[in-house]
Amino acid sequence: MRIDIITVLPEMLTGFVGTSILARAQKKGLAEIHIHNLRDYTTDKHRRVDDYPFGGFAGMVMQCQPIDDCISHLKAERHYDAIIFTTPDGRQFDQPMANSFSLMQNVIILCGHYKGIDYRIREHLITHEVSIGDYVLTGGELAAAVMTDAIVRLIPGVLSDEQSALSDSFQDNLLAAPVYTRPADYKGWRVPDILLSGHEAKIKEWELTQSLERTRRLRPDLLAERHK
Ligand code: ADE
């Protein structure tokens, strides 16, 4: 899978995409992540990519030209399955959305900034408008990073134990059961006996009961989703 991220702040993302799981995914040839500096595409001699909004509103708006040119440049090279715009007024990102993006071949993520982007870009070029939550960030870079991380780790072969992505919280609208490691007794804080019993079926049953109990207590909305 290939992800092209368009941003005015590439330095916010370069460290992130070169680290940990994302670095490993790229080394293994399972993901390619490219970061494009929007300023490289502006025809403005001062490298500006924004301007005042029509109508006398406050703030600055990202202009059509650099965004259109950057996306056209990418589209001339390959077909894109999705052109995503990160924005607080988009559809809320969740695990099913991460799953469906992870099945795509080529995706563009355009990071929003300032007051927003010229609405004509959203109308004519963007296929998905996505928010990572009901709060306003300074820019879309952190949203793009969150989405990229959630998407890439789902690509088969990226995680060393594929099972671990499948048993994530949310994958089946259940929170994950608690996990423990050695020692079994730390300062008198004991690991549940069942996990030390070696009884596989009973452990599985414990895991499901814990998942259900934690979901009921912490995220009852997810259980309602499960029964839809
Ligand atoms: N840009 C600013 N806030 C955002 C949010 N919550 N999600 C996605 N992009 C954003």
Side-chain angles (χ1 to χ4, degrees):
M1 178 186 194
R2 176 180 168 123
I3 302 178
D4 289 277
I5 305 177
I6 305 172
T7 170
V8 286
L9 294 172
E11 62 277 14
M12 268 187 84
L13 292 164
T14 41
F16 166 74
V17 305
T19 312
S20 183
I21 297 272
L22 294 188
R24 208 168 74 206
Q26 291 175 92
K27 253 186 228 121
K28 283 185 176 174
L30 298 168
E32 253 186 73
I33 303 163
H34 298 267
I35 296 167
H36 307 274
N37 187 344
L38 188 62
R39 290 186 203 284
D40 293 342
Y41 293 85
T42 178
T43 52
D44 180 80
K45 62 177 185 295
H46 304 295
R47 282 172 59 84
R48 283 185 58 167
V49 293
D50 61 339
D51 207 336
Y52 294 99
F54 284 122
F57 302 111
M60 302 297 275
V61 175
M62 284 162 77
Q63 294 169 289
C64 287
Q65 178 274 318
I67 299 172
D68 183 32
D69 282 6
C70 181
I71 291 176
S72 298
H73 169 82
L74 293 170
K75 279 165 100 175
E77 300 293 322
R78 66 196 66 77
H79 167 78
Y80 283 91
D81 307 297
I83 303 179
I84 303 164
F85 174 53
T86 57
T87 176
D89 60 7
R91 194 176 138 206
Q92 186 148 338
F93 188 62
D94 59 11
Q95 195 64 43
M97 223 194 277
N99 292 346
S100 79
F101 286 135
S102 79
L103 299 172
M104 294 179 176
Q105 275 306 307
N106 301 307
V107 166
I108 292 174
I109 304 178
L110 170 65
C111 302
H113 243 272
Y114 313 106
K115 264 305 231 199
I117 60 172
D118 192 306
Y119 204 74
R120 290 167 289 187
I121 292 291
R122 295 173 67 161
E123 288 175 317
H124 295 284
L125 297 178
I126 298 299
T127 62
H128 298 72
E129 299 182 324
V130 182
S131 162
I132 60 160
D134 283 344
Y135 38 81
V136 180
L137 302 165
T138 317
E141 284 71 19
L142 292 174
V146 165
M147 291 170 57
T148 301
D149 186 284
I151 293 166
V152 170
R153 64 191 293 286
L154 292 170
I155 299 170
V158 167
L159 295 184
S160 43
D161 176 5
E162 242 182 79
Q163 265 308 106
S164 65
L166 294 176
S167 61
D168 283 342
S169 283
F170 298 117
Q171 204 54 276
D172 47 11
N173 277 325
L174 281 182
L175 301 185
V179 291
Y180 303 87
T181 186
R182 284 184 289 189
D185 186 334
Y186 176 74
K187 298 202 296 194
W189 306 344
R190 289 195 40 82
V191 167
D193 287 337
I194 183 75
L195 296 179
L196 311 175
S197 70
H199 196 304
E200 219 174 287
K202 286 224 167 93
I203 291 174
K204 278 261 159 282
E205 196 185 306
W206 175 88
E207 192 186 17
L208 180 62
T209 311
Q210 288 290 320
S211 278
L212 285 165
E213 190 281 317
R214 295 189 73 238
T215 312
R216 199 169 293 132
R217 184 160 47 87
L218 301 170
R219 291 294 306 274
D221 55 305
L222 292 177
L223 285 181
E225 275 296 307
R226 236 168 106 81
H227 295 123
K228 265 188 193 157

